[in-house]
């Protein structure tokens, strides 16, 4: 059970069985060379990440740049290689896909603020096991310049301000809450009382579950001007 808490492949399979969430999950496959090349040839851009790990460590984006050239982007490093053999060597040796369990995932074109992608940390908590889940706070994490993951954030914004800045004011906050609460309720076998969901919004306004964290840090909420959000989370933790 403990492995299910953090293992991204297991998370995906469990969430996929919820009919209300299936359209909010990026297509995900267990990494093999065949799965990687099949998805890349179809979508032209994919994400590879370890099945375990936190803080965005090891998240890799690979893009088909045409003319047998491929770009890979990890942290703020952006490299172009020629030929499939070079990318395959990188994945299986430098990135070490052979030595750890990884997934290959549909790359979501995350909406941007000032040219940088962002996602939303949604905290859902319950007073005790068996009580209803509630959304206790949302904070938008904007990636630093040159990064594809938001764990290295250059700013933390409240939801409405971020949607306005990204020209996504039509995205209803209720949809984000619905997706987060549906995921928490579906993961009822996990005997935890708080979850932190990283939820992405693509450039057309669709909502996606990027990851579910069972040991989420609430420190980012201290950067919001509204301090009551952080206090509410602390209050839940003390119950």
């Amino acid at each position: 059970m403990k492995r299910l808490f953090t293992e991204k492949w297991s998370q995906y399979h469990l969430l996929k069985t919820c009919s209300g969430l299936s359209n909010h999950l990026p297509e995900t496959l267990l990494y093999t060379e065949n799965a990687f090349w099949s998805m890349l040839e179809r979508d032209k851009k994919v994400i590879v990440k370890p099945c375990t790990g936190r803080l965005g460590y090891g998240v890799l984006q690979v893009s088909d740049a045409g003319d047998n050239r491929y770009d890979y982007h990890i942290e703020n490093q952006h490299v172009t290689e020629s030929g499939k053999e070079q990318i395959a060597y990188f994945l299986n040796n430098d990135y070490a896909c052979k030595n750890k369990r990884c997934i290959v995932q549909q790359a979501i074109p995350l909406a941007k603020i000032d040219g940088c992608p962002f996602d939303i940390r949604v905290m859902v908590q319950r007073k005790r096991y068996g009580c209803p889940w509630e959304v206790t706070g949302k904070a938008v994490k904007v990636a630093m310049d040159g990064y594809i993951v938001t764990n290295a954030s250059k700013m933390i914004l409240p939801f409405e301000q971020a949607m306005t800045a990204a020209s996504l004011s039509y995205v209803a906050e209720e949809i984000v809450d619905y997706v987060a609460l549906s995921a928490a309720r579906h993961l009822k076998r996990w005997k935890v009382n708080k979850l932190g969901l990283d939820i992405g919004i693509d450039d057309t306004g669709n909502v996606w579950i990027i990851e579910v964290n069972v040991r989420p840090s609430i420190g980012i909420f201290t950067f919001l001007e509204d301090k009551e959000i952080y206090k509410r989370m602390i209050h839940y933790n003390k119950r």
Side-chain angles (χ1 to χ4, degrees):
M1 180 62 66
K2 186 175 181 180
R3 187 182 183 189
L4 279 175
F5 284 179
T6 56
E7 226 266 4
K8 295 178 179 64
W9 179 238
S10 299
Q11 279 187 13
Y12 173 77
H13 268 281
L14 191 53
L15 290 170
K16 192 70 174 175
T17 62
C18 178
S19 59
L21 292 176
S22 58
N23 291 333
H24 299 286
L25 295 169
E27 181 182 357
T28 302
L29 301 171
L30 193 62
Y31 174 85
T32 64
E33 285 197 41
N34 285 340
F36 170 80
W37 287 114
S38 176
M39 192 177 287
L40 183 62
E41 287 172 6
R42 186 193 68 192
D43 296 344
K44 306 304 179 185
K45 184 180 292 186
V46 299
I47 298 293
V48 181
K49 63 177 75 170
C51 281
T52 57
R54 301 177 66 235
L55 305 176
Y57 178 77
V59 176
L60 171 74
Q61 178 178 278
V62 182
S63 307
D64 185 342
D67 297 324
N68 201 31
R69 294 178 300 114
Y70 300 91
D71 296 338
Y72 70 81
H73 194 161
I74 185 168
E75 295 183 348
N76 62 344
Q77 182 183 12
H78 195 181
V79 178
T80 300
E81 299 279 11
S82 295
K84 289 185 175 181
E85 297 80 7
Q86 295 295 325
I87 291 296
Y89 181 88
F90 172 77
L91 288 170
N92 293 322
N93 293 275
D94 297 335
Y95 192 74
C97 279
K98 283 186 176 179
N99 298 324
K100 58 187 174 185
R101 188 171 159 103
C102 296
I103 55 175
V104 55
Q105 195 169 64
Q106 173 189 359
I108 302 303
L110 291 176
K112 297 179 179 180
I113 294 174
D114 295 335
C116 298
F118 68 87
D119 62 23
I120 310 159
R121 168 58 59 88
V122 183
M123 283 295 301
V124 289
Q125 295 174 269
R126 55 186 175 183
K127 295 172 183 177
R128 61 187 65 86
Y129 182 66
C131 289
W133 288 100
E134 297 181 44
V135 174
T136 53
K138 287 183 284 293
V140 173
K141 303 173 292 175
V142 182
M144 293 179 64
D145 294 341
Y147 282 78
I148 59 169
V149 294
T150 63
N151 303 81
S153 302
K154 69 176 183 179
M155 67 177 86
I156 307 295
L157 300 173
F159 181 84
E160 289 186 3
Q161 181 181 339
M163 295 304 103
T164 298
S167 299
L168 290 171
S169 296
Y170 59 87
V171 175
E173 192 169 5
E174 289 78 9
I175 295 176
V176 175
D177 289 356
Y178 165 79
V179 170
L181 288 170
S182 296
R185 291 164 185 154
H186 192 66
L187 300 175
K188 58 186 177 182
R189 71 180 67 176
W190 293 5
K191 295 184 178 181
V192 294
N193 293 328
K194 64 177 179 178
L195 294 170
L197 290 94
D198 291 328
I199 290 183
I201 299 179
D202 67 25
D203 49 17
T204 60
N206 296 312
V207 175
W208 301 90
I209 297 176
I210 298 173
E211 191 168 338
V212 181
N213 303 279
V214 298
R215 292 187 292 271
S217 169
I218 62 175
I220 63 169
F221 291 91
T222 62
F223 294 96
L224 294 176
E225 184 175 347
D226 183 357
K227 303 304 179 186
E228 292 303 314
I229 297 174
Y230 182 75
K231 290 178 182 178
R232 181 163 60 246
M233 293 173 189
I234 295 294
H235 177 69
Y236 265 76
N237 286 346
K238 288 181 177 179
R239 284 178 176 264

